[in-house]
Amino acid sequence: MSLRNVVVEGDPILRKKSRPVDEITPRIIKLLDDMADTMYYENRGIGIAAPQVGVLRRVFVVDVGDEHGKLEFINPEITMREGTQVFCEGCLSVPGKNADVERPERIKIKALDRDGKEFELEADGLLAVCICHEYDHLEGILFIDKAIDGQINVMEESDDE
Ligand code: ZN
C-alpha cells in the first residue's frame, strides 16, 4: 500500500485545470493505485481526484460502497445531466467542512479505464453526486464554491485515532 499526501484547500494546485492523460503509462497505473489506497485510508473517502494528490491529470477514482465497487475514470466526459438532487458534501481536501450542494440526479459519463478501453456509465443518486464532485476537481472547482446560499458548515474537530 502506498499513500500520497492529500493537498488541502488554500493550495493553488486545487484551483488549476488538469490536463488529459495522453498515454496510460505505468506511472498513471501507479497513480490510480495510490489514489485508491489514499481514498480508502483517509477517513473512508468515497472519491478522490488526481489534483488532490498534487497531480494535474484528468483522473479520478470513486467507490461509494455500492455494487459498482471501485471505479476508475481517465479523461472523463459527462455526456448527460438530468434532474437535480441536493446532498450534503464533504471533501478530503476541505477537512472539517460540509455543505449542501445541488447536483444532477442522473448523469452519463464516458471515460477510459486503466487498459485504455472506453466505457460509458449511467449513474444516479450518491454515485452521480460523487462523480460530479470529482469531475469538478479536474476543473479546479471545489464543492464549497457551489454551496447553496454560500452556506458552509464547520464541523466540530474530532480526534483521529
Ligand atoms: Zn473533493
Side-chain angles (χ1 to χ4, degrees):
M1 187 169 86
S2 182
L3 299 176
R4 302 221 182 176
N5 286 326
V6 175
V7 172
V8 294
E9 191 200 352
D11 192 313
I13 203 155
L14 290 173
R15 294 307 189 173
K16 292 187 177 152
K17 206 173 147 140
S18 292
R19 297 183 308 274
V21 171
D22 334 294
E23 199 192 340
I24 301 170
T25 58
R27 271 174 84 105
I28 295 292
I29 301 297
K30 174 93 169 82
L31 173 67
L32 285 164
D33 290 339
D34 291 355
M35 283 168 60
D37 285 345
T38 305
M39 172 182 79
Y40 291 123
Y41 182 79
E42 295 273 350
N43 303 310
R44 298 171 296 281
I46 59 173
I48 192 166
Q52 293 183 270
V53 295
V55 179
L56 287 171
R57 289 291 175 174
R58 300 186 79 80
V59 169
F60 62 77
V61 178
V62 308
D63 184 348
V64 298
D66 67 2
E67 71 279 8
H68 292 97
K70 182 178 76 176
L71 293 167
E72 298 173 333
F73 299 84
I74 299 169
N75 297 345
E77 210 181 304
I78 297 174
T79 56
M80 190 274 284
R81 294 175 170 84
E82 202 178 79
T84 58
Q85 60 176 325
V86 173
F87 189 82
C88 184
E89 298 185 19
C91 179
L92 297 176
S93 294
V94 189
K97 291 182 186 169
N98 63 32
D100 284 339
V101 177
E102 189 178 284
R103 302 283 188 187
E105 165 57 27
R106 179 181 298 275
I107 61 158
K108 260 189 206 165
I109 182 167
K110 67 176 186 189
L112 301 178
D113 66 16
R114 60 164 62 205
D115 300 316
K117 237 180 84 187
E118 191 176 279
F119 67 96
E120 194 174 39
L121 178 81
E122 216 176 301
D124 59 11
L126 179 59
L127 183 58
V129 167
C130 188
I131 287 171
C132 291
H133 175 120
E134 300 313 330
Y135 185 87
D136 275 354
H137 276 298
L138 308 183
E139 298 293 312
I141 299 167
L142 298 176
F143 78 98
I144 46 176
D145 306 344
K146 295 186 165 178
I148 294 176
D149 299 329
Q151 178 75 49
I152 297 160
N153 310 307
V154 179
M155 293 179 278
E156 225 169 277
E157 287 291 319
S158 67
D159 291 326
D160 280 336
E161 287 160 279

